[in-house]
Amino acid sequence: MTALWRGPEENVLPLCEELGIGFVCWAPLGMGFTTGAMSPYFPFTEGDRRTAMPRNSRDNLAANMPLVQLLQDWAVRKGATPAQIDLAWLLAQKPWIVPIPSTTRLSHLLENIGAEEVRFSPDELQELNAGVARITIHGDRLPAPALAMTGVEAPLPR
C-alpha cells in the first residue's frame, strides 16, 4: 500500500486485521516519486529500473503530479518533507501497517526516520485521506509481466 497504489485496502488489509498480523508496505515512496524528486523531466540514468514502470513514463509522471503537490502542501503545513508526510500517512493508518522505505543515502535514511515525528490529528488524517482518494493515479505500478505474477500463489515445489 502506498499513496500511489491502494490495492491492498480492499482485501488484504481487512484480512491482516482479522488475523492480527502486520502488513509491510513495499516501495512506500513510489521509488522516489512521492518524495518530490521526480518530475516528467526527471533524468533517469541508463539502466534505472524505474524506467520499466509504466507509471514513470513522461505522460504518467505529469498526470500523477497532483499527488506530489498534495504531499508538498502537507509538508509545508506540517513542517516536514513530502517523504515524511507519505511515510507518516502510512504509519497513521493502522498500528500494524509498517512501511519499509529503501535508500542508498544516509541523508534519506535520516529523513525517513523523521516521519516518526509527524503527527496527524483525526481531522487532519481524514482530510489527507480524502485528498489522496480524490487523486486518480495514471499508469500501471509494474511492467505487464510483473503484474501478471502478482496476486497469485507461488507454485509448491514437487
Side-chain angles (χ1 to χ4, degrees):
M1 182 173 103
T2 71
L4 278 167
W5 185 65
R6 299 180 74 178
E9 291 178 356
E10 188 174 321
N11 296 314
V12 176
L13 295 184
L15 181 61
C16 287
E17 190 160 32
E18 178 185 330
L19 297 176
I21 59 176
F23 181 79
V24 178
C25 306
W26 175 77
L29 299 174
M31 297 186 182
F33 180 72
T34 62
T35 67
M38 293 168 56
S39 76
Y41 304 102
F42 184 77
F44 289 105
T45 58
E46 187 175 334
D48 189 327
R49 66 188 174 112
R50 295 175 295 180
T51 61
M53 311 300 176
R55 192 167 285 153
N56 291 334
S57 73
R58 182 170 286 184
D59 290 342
N60 287 333
L61 282 172
N64 293 329
M65 290 309 290
L67 177 61
V68 173
Q69 185 62 56
L70 176 71
L71 295 171
Q72 288 173 338
D73 292 347
W74 275 90
V76 169
R77 185 171 168 177
K78 300 298 275 182
T81 67
Q84 290 169 335
I85 295 297
D86 192 2
L87 294 171
W89 172 77
L90 284 165
L91 290 167
Q93 299 303 310
K94 299 281 184 181
W96 42 266
I97 293 178
V98 181
I100 53 164
S102 62
T103 184
T104 57
R105 296 192 178 116
L106 178 59
S107 61
H108 292 166
L109 174 65
L110 296 174
E111 177 184 5
N112 294 343
I113 290 170
E116 184 66 28
E117 303 300 318
V118 178
R119 300 281 186 260
F120 299 106
S121 71
D123 288 343
E124 287 175 327
L125 188 57
Q126 183 178 4
E127 182 184 345
L128 181 52
N129 278 329
V132 170
R134 280 192 298 272
I135 296 170
T136 299
I137 300 299
H138 299 266
D140 288 332
R141 64 190 179 92
L142 296 169
L147 276 177
M149 293 188 297
T150 63
V152 297
E153 293 296 323
L156 295 173
R158 295 185 184 243

